[in-house]
Amino acid sequence: MSVIKVPEADTAGWRCASCDEELTLEAVELEYLDSLFNVELPCCPKCRLVLIPEGLALGKMHQVEQLLEDK
Amino acid sequence: MEQADLRMWENRCVQEEVPKCTAACPLHVDARTFCSLVGQRRWDKAWQVLAKTLPLPSVLARLCDGPCKEECERKHVGGAVEMDRLERYCAEQAKPVSPPRPLPSRGKSVAVIGGGLTGLCATWEMARRGFDVTLYCSHVGGELIDLSESVLPDGVLLREVENLKTMGAVIEDGVEVTLSLLDTVSHQYDAVFVDSTSVPESLLAFGKPDDLTLGTQLKGVFASGGGAESPVFQAATGRRAANSIERFTQGVSMVTGRELEGPYETRLFTSLDKVEAVQPVSGEWDELHARDEAKRCLQCECMECVKGCEYLRHYKQYPKVYARQIYNNESIVMGTRQANTMINSCMLCGLCETICPEDFSMADVCLEARRGMVSRGKMPPSAHEFALRDMDFARSAVCALAHHAPDATVSEYAFFPGCQLTASDPDGVEAAYADLRQRLGSVGLMLNCCGVPADWAGRTALYEGVAVRLRDDWHALGEPKIIAACPTCLKTLRDLLPDAEIISHWTILSVVGLPQSAEIASRKLAINDPCAARDNAVLRDDIRVLLDMLQVSVIEPEYSGEMTQCCGYGGLLSDANPSLATSVAEVRRDAVDEDYVTYCVMCRDMLAKTGKRAVHFYDLLFPKGEDSASRAAPGYSARRENRVRLKERLLREIWSEAEGVAQQPYETIDVEFTENAARIMEERRILKTDVQKVLLQAQQSGRWFVQQESGHLLASFRPVTVTYWVEFVRQGEAFVVHNAWCHRMRIQGGQP
């Protein structure tokens, strides 16, 4: 599965508080209604905590959710 | 939806039926489109409309005597559109068009005997259908030649005769028309048509032709009936002959399915309600006069339901089209179901069915479609999940209750205020319950949801489950008469508990009188009947009686009573399509200038959200000394909290019971919201408890993000099907929330 890159996947100044690490872009698997996507998302390199920025959640992610719901 | 159901629904919607003018015209000229084009002075286009339908258009347009005028809807509001005069005017204005290109030859030959208008029209109709036609006549044009120059200018007839030749017809002019000619051609040709008015009577030995088929005693010989017919009817006879000969040469039935030849009845309904009377344009016409006359055409269509419903208007079509879209939506196996949101956006309010002359019900179509989507597992999860969660909450132990009156062991009545009234106006519910106990004696209390969200969402099994629980509660209370305050509960409970007597609170009050607290003051209010009261005239009357007792003079909006419009909440529209729900509520807001009074709290809150001043009836009966018309609609979290607090308070104060339900751990999280965050959460349907769950999880796991610049923290949690993100700061023990968002997609790999 190829990795999808989205411009909304921006760290926007967030860092992992517990590990005190800068976030890096990593391939993360997302699932909805039995569809899987490999998306490059900001992620803590140490504990793997993934960030879904507001713009992505309300924008492209929402669109894809709606699309899958109508499939 | 089965195909038969689709046909049934499609047939009910009359929007695509032909207008009365076209149905009345024996040639079925599209007068509506013609008038629309003349109204724009698009003469050439308008002429093309005539030329498409009329044989020998330049002749017939000048001779038409407008039988459509008898049926024209404009006749009742100023006078029929002068269609015949418009046709003549257009014939003078427009550029002539080439004759129609005939269909490929059928290899069938037809002789037409008699060159009057009927014979010429029959020749035209058959030539364009690919017959090899020969016209035999003593003089082409027959009686048309005697018409004056002012009726049929020189050269017009000749031009159309030339067109006939271009279309491939052979014209044998100057022929002596005799019986022996008929005898000869009837053997030479596959079929013969005789224009009876243009041939000697001696030729008509074959007897009177049949009215429907124009067939005679001679096989393959067809004839017009003769007698004085208006020009368009003569032309229609020519077309009928062509139809018969086409059937005859194909060897198919001569009689079936011919109801739509010639004038027929149409079911198209056109309202004249708001149409101003305008007289025909008289005197000499110039181009602008003709345009103005054409503009008097009402462009007949139904669209009655669409005019009254913002939802139907929003999707830009009408129920016949929607029924087909819904049918197609169900048939999709792979691909996008584009009608899902449309199906989930109907308010199920029943207005279209009430308006429609043929009782088309979008509610029935959409609700059935929703049930089908649920049963096939194709209902979009996000459409109704929030509303159904709210229903579950209202039915859960923290909100629901079924008790006899304090110190009573039986209940003659049980008050059922409904989950939204308790959510929006718990104080009003408390006061109403006290009033009922005081005046009726043993009145128990049922705090619960009637289950209508499950019904609206198409979740039949869930809806039936609600019924079972409610029935159990009702039995446990000794089967009291249920007093329902919410019109939707009233309707739903009557459906769910057919054995129970369900009375409206408003009927009780109209009998026992207003409570003492009622604010009697002369004032003017616009009534907003909720859609659940559409089929309940008793309820609507009770309300008006009570308003009269309160000295309220009632303003009825244009859509009122059984024709009332939904506020945008019905059918879970506000969940499935929030922006359309807002538009629907705004339409209702703009319908009157006065403050509204309503007896459905969802109507009140939907209107209040648009900024419209509106009171619920309880505000008048149990006033709280505030300007209740301007009270803001409580948000989703506040509504939940109101239900919980009401139950706690009533248990404590009326039944002297301590709170029974233990607090959830996340409820101990002390949280505040910035104004912006509170607004955003409401828009995004994020509850305070959702936020508390995220914060509890973050506190326990110690995992969150931090933003250097703002110092804000960010944590997420997925309690069940939605992942919530909360941006916050710590303030001592408390959390102050600045932002929140959510998504349904799941992050794989152990993210909490």
Side-chain angles (χ1 to χ4, degrees):
Chain A
M1 193 165 29
S2 63
V3 179
I4 303 164
K5 296 184 183 187
V6 287
E8 296 91 339
D10 183 56
T11 57
W14 294 105
R15 46 190 287 123
C16 181
S18 41
C19 307
D20 195 24
E21 288 278 346
E22 292 289 337
L23 303 186
T24 54
L25 288 176
E26 309 272 349
V28 175
E29 208 168 46
L30 298 174
E31 181 271 339
Y32 191 54
L33 300 175
D34 301 327
S35 288
L36 286 174
F37 305 91
N38 226 332
V39 186
E40 206 174 74
L41 292 171
C43 195
C44 171
K46 214 160 153 189
C47 74
R48 316 294 296 174
L49 193 63
V50 178
L51 170 76
I52 307 284
E54 182 181 16
L56 178 61
L58 303 179
K60 201 155 281 170
M61 203 173 205
H62 179 69
Q63 282 170 16
V64 174
E65 286 169 5
Q66 298 281 304
L67 210 71
L68 291 172
E69 290 194 348
D70 287 339
K71 284 283 175 205
Chain B
M1 195 192 298
E2 299 297 322
Q3 202 171 44
D5 298 326
L6 171 67
R7 298 272 173 268
M8 184 273 287
W9 286 118
E10 280 188 320
N11 186 46
R12 279 199 194 183
C13 178
V14 298
Q15 170 64 13
E16 288 178 11
E17 296 297 306
V18 298
K20 286 193 171 167
C21 49
T22 303
C25 171
L27 293 168
H28 309 309
V29 166
D30 185 356
R32 181 173 61 183
T33 303
F34 171 78
C35 285
S36 162
L37 291 164
V38 173
Q40 303 165 59
R41 295 161 71 192
R42 295 168 70 184
W43 300 104
D44 294 341
K45 282 274 171 205
W47 181 249
Q48 283 169 22
V49 172
L50 296 182
K52 199 174 85 179
T53 315
L54 297 178
L56 295 89
S58 303
V59 173
L60 214 53
R62 287 179 168 87
L63 301 184
C64 175
D65 52 335
C68 58
K69 291 198 290 187
E70 264 311 299
E71 294 296 326
C72 177
E73 292 282 9
R74 183 43 101 179
K75 190 171 115 175
H76 313 287
V77 268
V81 174
E82 302 276 343
M83 183 62 191
D84 45 352
R85 202 174 164 190
L86 284 170
E87 285 177 84
R88 283 195 290 279
Y89 196 85
C90 187
E92 297 299 335
Q93 290 289 319
K95 198 165 68 206
V97 293
S98 314
R101 187 194 298 264
L103 294 177
S105 172
R106 295 165 180 259
K108 300 281 180 192
S109 60
V110 182
V112 174
I113 303 179
L117 184 57
T118 313
L120 287 171
C121 289
T123 306
W124 181 284
E125 294 282 352
M126 286 188 282
R128 74 187 286 181
R129 293 181 206 193
F131 286 99
D132 303 326
V133 195
T134 308
L135 171 66
Y136 295 91
C137 56
S138 49
H139 53 276
V140 72
E143 73 282 3
L144 298 177
I145 294 165
D146 304 330
L147 293 172
S148 70
E149 166 79 18
S150 64
V151 177
L152 198 62
D154 256 359
V156 171
L157 176 62
L158 201 65
R159 197 164 61 235
E160 293 293 20
V161 171
E162 285 307 310
N163 283 338
L164 268 177
K165 291 179 184 163
T166 310
M167 290 160 72
V170 176
I171 297 178
E172 300 287 353
D173 200 1
V175 174
E176 197 183 344
V177 175
T178 60
L179 210 50
S180 74
L181 172 72
L182 176 61
D183 188 48
T184 313
V185 298
S186 63
H187 288 98
Q188 281 176 350
Y189 291 82
D190 292 307
V192 180
F193 173 67
V194 180
D195 174 1
S196 303
T197 50
S198 313
V199 297
E201 254 182 67
S202 59
L203 201 95
L204 308 177
F206 42 68
K208 195 178 169 333
D210 178 77
D211 283 342
L212 178 68
T213 65
L214 306 181
T216 66
Q217 290 163 9
L218 295 177
K219 190 166 186 228
V221 175
F222 299 81
S224 60
E229 275 188 313
S230 84
V232 248
F233 278 89
Q234 289 181 45
T237 300
R239 179 175 295 172
R240 186 179 289 279
N243 291 343
S244 283
I245 287 171
E246 190 172 339
R247 284 167 180 255
F248 176 74
T249 54
Q250 286 174 339
V252 298
S253 165
M254 296 299 294
V255 292
T256 53
R258 301 192 67 162
E259 299 79 12
L260 301 186
E261 287 181 33
Y264 57 86
E265 293 277 318
T266 172
R267 295 186 302 140
L268 182 66
F269 173 83
T270 304
S271 168
L272 301 177
D273 264 0
K274 289 180 183 166
V275 179
E276 256 180 71
V278 183
Q279 309 296 317
V281 180
S282 55
E284 283 291 305
W285 278 6
D286 62 16
E287 213 182 311
L288 297 183
H289 290 117
R291 175 202 64 188
D292 292 346
E293 179 58 21
K295 280 186 157 179
R296 291 176 62 247
C297 170
L298 300 174
Q299 293 293 305
C300 284
E301 59 172 354
C302 181
M303 296 300 262
E304 286 302 294
C305 58
V306 180
K307 286 181 209 165
C309 175
E310 186 59 20
Y311 154 68
L312 291 175
R313 194 163 39 220
H314 175 79
Y315 286 98
K316 300 195 163 51
Q317 297 289 344
Y318 42 87
K320 187 170 194 161
V321 176
Y322 297 144
R324 172 148 304 266
Q325 288 173 349
I326 291 168
Y327 175 80
N328 290 342
N329 200 65
E330 279 180 17
S331 318
I332 290 171
V333 180
M334 293 286 284
T336 305
R337 291 172 180 79
Q338 291 183 340
N340 281 353
T341 307
M342 186 263 276
I343 291 166
N344 284 330
S345 295
C346 173
M347 286 89 87
L348 311 178
C349 80
L351 177 59
C352 53
E353 187 180 0
T354 310
I355 290 177
C356 176
E358 311 258 342
D359 298 337
F360 192 107
S361 168
M362 275 303 281
D364 287 357
V365 176
C366 289
L367 188 55
E368 206 45 53
R370 290 182 202 179
R371 288 175 183 152
M373 287 155 77
V374 169
S375 71
R376 291 189 303 276
K378 294 295 181 190
M379 177 58 85
S382 69
H384 304 127
E385 196 176 271
F386 186 81
L388 294 174
R389 265 175 71 198
D390 194 52
M391 183 183 90
D392 282 346
F393 186 78
R395 297 173 66 222
S396 71
V398 291
C399 302
L401 171 154
H403 268 29
H404 290 300
D407 304 323
T409 51
V410 289
S411 292
E412 191 187 343
Y413 298 96
F415 179 42
F416 194 107
C419 67
Q420 295 297 3
L421 197 49
T422 51
S424 178
D425 185 13
D427 295 345
V429 169
E430 189 175 357
Y433 183 44
D435 177 59
L436 284 169
R437 283 201 323 279
Q438 195 206 335
R439 295 201 281 168
L440 297 184
S442 60
V443 181
L445 182 65
M446 292 174 82
L447 296 181
N448 217 318
C449 169
C450 68
V452 83
D455 185 33
W456 286 345
R459 313 250 167 198
T460 314
L462 184 59
Y463 184 53
E464 281 161 6
V466 175
V468 170
R469 285 260 305 275
L470 285 176
R471 204 171 298 131
D472 289 348
D473 283 352
W474 177 62
H475 284 310
L477 289 179
E479 304 184 357
K481 299 181 187 106
I482 295 178
I483 301 172
C486 161
T488 299
C489 291
L490 185 66
K491 191 176 164 184
T492 309
L493 292 174
R494 283 179 177 163
D495 177 41
L496 284 183
L497 306 175
D499 302 333
E501 189 177 337
I502 320 279
I503 315 166
S504 94
H505 189 191
W506 318 105
T507 298
I508 299 269
L509 289 174
S510 70
V511 173
V512 302
L514 298 171
Q516 270 194 338
S517 56
E519 198 176 83
I520 300 174
S522 170
R523 69 182 105 179
K524 212 188 264 185
L525 291 171
I527 180 109
N528 178 77
D529 290 302
C531 51
R534 183 180 317 288
D535 300 321
N536 192 339
V538 174
L539 171 60
R540 300 196 310 265
D541 287 347
D542 287 337
I543 288 293
R544 283 159 176 79
V545 166
L546 291 170
L547 284 170
D548 192 49
M549 290 184 196
L550 288 163
Q551 294 184 8
V552 172
S553 45
V554 173
I555 308 290
E556 300 276 354
E558 184 191 350
Y559 287 93
S560 194
E562 66 168 348
M563 302 277 266
T564 193
Q565 285 171 324
C566 178
C567 64
Y569 178 73
L572 299 180
L573 169 62
S574 56
D575 283 88
N577 193 342
S579 64
L580 181 58
T582 303
S583 307
V584 169
E586 284 169 354
V587 167
R588 202 57 186 157
R589 172 193 70 193
D590 298 338
V592 291
D593 295 329
E594 295 77 9
D595 292 3
Y596 270 121
V597 58
T598 183
Y599 41 110
C600 165
V601 82
M602 287 318 296
C603 286
R604 198 220 81 93
D605 287 348
M606 287 297 288
L607 289 164
K609 280 192 205 170
T610 68
K612 180 70 182 172
R613 290 173 55 83
V615 291
H616 182 264
F617 223 98
Y618 275 10
D619 294 319
L620 304 178
L621 299 179
F622 313 106
K624 302 173 195 72
E626 55 174 19
D627 176 23
S628 47
S630 66
R631 177 167 59 94
Y636 297 111
S637 296
R639 299 181 89 86
R640 285 189 168 206
E641 217 155 307
N642 282 341
R643 291 183 193 134
V644 175
R645 302 293 160 248
L646 176 69
K647 176 177 171 176
E648 282 173 359
R649 193 164 72 228
L650 293 176
L651 281 177
R652 197 171 54 237
E653 290 174 5
I654 302 182
W655 283 279
S656 309
E657 287 177 26
E659 297 118 66
V661 181
Q663 220 178 15
Q664 296 290 328
Y666 59 79
E667 290 176 90
T668 61
I669 298 286
D670 185 2
V671 64
E672 287 169 36
F673 304 91
T674 64
E675 210 175 294
N676 195 39
R679 184 183 52 77
I680 282 174
M681 284 167 57
E682 197 63 17
E683 263 174 38
R684 299 176 184 172
R685 287 169 161 69
I686 298 171
L687 298 173
K688 178 183 170 185
T689 49
D690 298 327
V691 167
Q692 286 175 314
K693 287 173 192 171
V694 174
L695 295 172
L696 177 69
Q697 186 281 137
Q699 205 172 42
Q700 287 170 344
S701 69
R703 295 179 78 191
W704 57 70
F705 298 103
V706 61
Q707 199 176 42
Q708 225 76 37
E709 210 171 293
S710 62
H712 287 185
L713 308 176
L714 177 65
S716 77
F717 181 53
R718 186 179 182 91
V720 190
T721 54
V722 177
T723 302
Y724 298 96
W725 291 84
V726 177
E727 188 178 331
F728 61 99
V729 293
R730 295 297 300 255
Q731 221 165 62
E733 278 304 296
F735 296 83
V736 179
V737 173
H738 284 258
N739 195 4
W741 61 90
C742 58
H743 53 83
R744 306 182 69 89
M745 224 173 247
R746 180 196 288 273
I747 304 163
Q748 303 287 84
Q751 182 116 344

